[in-house]
Amino acid sequence: MIEQNPFEISQKQLDACAKLIDLDAGTLAVLREPLREFHVSLPVRMDDGSVKVFKGFRVQYNDAKGPTKGGIRFHPDETIDTIRALAAWMTWKCALADLPLGGGKGGVICNPREMSQGELERLSRAYAQSVCHFIGPERDIPAPDVYTNAQTMAWIMDECCKISGKSQFGIVTGKPIAVGGSAGRDDATARGGMYTIREAAKELGIDLKKATVAIQGYGNAGYFAASLCNTLFGSKILAVSDSKGGIFNKEGLNPEEIAAYKRETGSVINYPGATPISNEDLLELEVDILVPSALENVITGANAANIKAKIIAELANGPTTPEADDVLQRNGVHVIPDFLCNAGGVVVSYFEMVQNFYMYYWSKEQVHDLLDKKMTAAYHSVLDAAKKYSTHMRLAAYTVAVQRVAEAMKVRGWV
Ligand code: GLU
């Protein structure tokens, strides 16, 4: 199968939306490309004394609605086009969640699994040094993403503060609570996704207490999704996986025990009391809800017809290709598209920014309540658009988001 370029996919999705809402050519031309991007080379002293140079990127896709916002990924297969696509999706995500923010994304080509904590810290600080003058609460606010976490954000924040000589906690979000992080940021992506699953289940008449679930990926989003499906809904988790492979048990898996096992062994594979299953087979399991929570391009024209789930809740960014979308729509699968389903992370990041500005911090309950309101409103704006335009949920999500960004560009006089 030919690898699909994620940026071309994102442009294809936008083109389809532009056609549907009859978007003018000038606005479309602006929205098809990032407004700004940075390519950086980061020299890092490795533990063996050598110096290695890592390539990094930061893309500020569109800031019509406010400063750009989006995570930083550390991944060996990172490319500028993946970051461009992810930055575009952040633009739609923030607009759909009705946040006063634009979209951005960053990445560094590196393999964090082969690096020590010291090397990761020096790499994070090197990244901060090279982008610190171009980020911050009025410009562009990074956050965690694939293989980065609250610790990474603390290093980046600390480095930027040292350079500016000021306490600027709001320069990044997803920080540890001890240094300006928000309560409820850790499970926000998964929790936000749960609220959209709850609304989708109501719409489709699915009883979540009896529902079965398969989750691809067991990082931050995947683990919390498993745990919350259990605690919020009482659904049964039949299968989970990570990059090394998956595990299956038709009686249900215990998310906390698997997390403990993964912490010890580095993977979910060979977990006792479950049978092995490949990442490919997991996607095709007979379950009510499928939750892709890992990387892009896993549901494609090649396997979409074999998907048996009633709901696909995309906690990952870009897991489904446009070819797959058409097949899923024909087969009546209800897709909660990525930039709706996984918006909870950036919603609570936005709450973190607000708290940093105010220097006053909210309780976890307040955060959950406000997150629920935002996600529920976003879900219903997409469902309404899907009905209005008789189209699938992804294209419907685009119509809502793109019109909001287009309006901001118009009133600012850009187009
Ligand atoms: N990396 C997350 C995302 O893709 C969160 C971004 C943020 O909090 O800014 O939505």
PDB file of all heavy atoms in Angstrom, residues 20 39 284:
ATOM      1  N   LEU A  20     -18.294  21.856  -0.350  1.00  0.00           N
ATOM      2  CA  LEU A  20     -19.615  21.699   0.274  1.00  0.00           C
ATOM      3  C   LEU A  20     -20.202  23.036   0.734  1.00  0.00           C
ATOM      4  O   LEU A  20     -21.399  23.280   0.577  1.00  0.00           O
ATOM      5  CB  LEU A  20     -19.483  20.733   1.467  1.00  0.00           C
ATOM      6  CG  LEU A  20     -20.755  20.258   2.134  1.00  0.00           C
ATOM      7  CD1 LEU A  20     -21.605  19.456   1.162  1.00  0.00           C
ATOM      8  CD2 LEU A  20     -20.430  19.387   3.354  1.00  0.00           C
ATOM      9  N   HIS A  39      12.206  25.717  10.937  1.00  0.00           N
ATOM     10  CA  HIS A  39      12.982  24.474  10.836  1.00  0.00           C
ATOM     11  C   HIS A  39      14.253  24.706  11.648  1.00  0.00           C
ATOM     12  O   HIS A  39      14.985  25.653  11.364  1.00  0.00           O
ATOM     13  CB  HIS A  39      13.342  24.182   9.382  1.00  0.00           C
ATOM     14  CG  HIS A  39      12.140  23.892   8.517  1.00  0.00           C
ATOM     15  ND1 HIS A  39      12.030  22.749   7.770  1.00  0.00           N
ATOM     16  CD2 HIS A  39      11.002  24.590   8.303  1.00  0.00           C
ATOM     17  CE1 HIS A  39      10.867  22.759   7.121  1.00  0.00           C
ATOM     18  NE2 HIS A  39      10.224  23.874   7.434  1.00  0.00           N
ATOM     19  N   GLU A 284     -10.307  -4.739  13.555  1.00  0.00           N
ATOM     20  CA  GLU A 284     -11.435  -5.404  12.889  1.00  0.00           C
ATOM     21  C   GLU A 284     -12.281  -6.231  13.851  1.00  0.00           C
ATOM     22  O   GLU A 284     -13.143  -7.005  13.433  1.00  0.00           O
ATOM     23  CB  GLU A 284     -10.882  -6.267  11.749  1.00  0.00           C
ATOM     24  CG  GLU A 284     -10.176  -5.413  10.714  1.00  0.00           C
ATOM     25  CD  GLU A 284      -9.560  -6.201   9.574  1.00  0.00           C
ATOM     26  OE1 GLU A 284      -9.884  -7.410   9.435  1.00  0.00           O
ATOM     27  OE2 GLU A 284      -8.751  -5.615   8.833  1.00  0.00           O
TER      28      GLU A 284
END
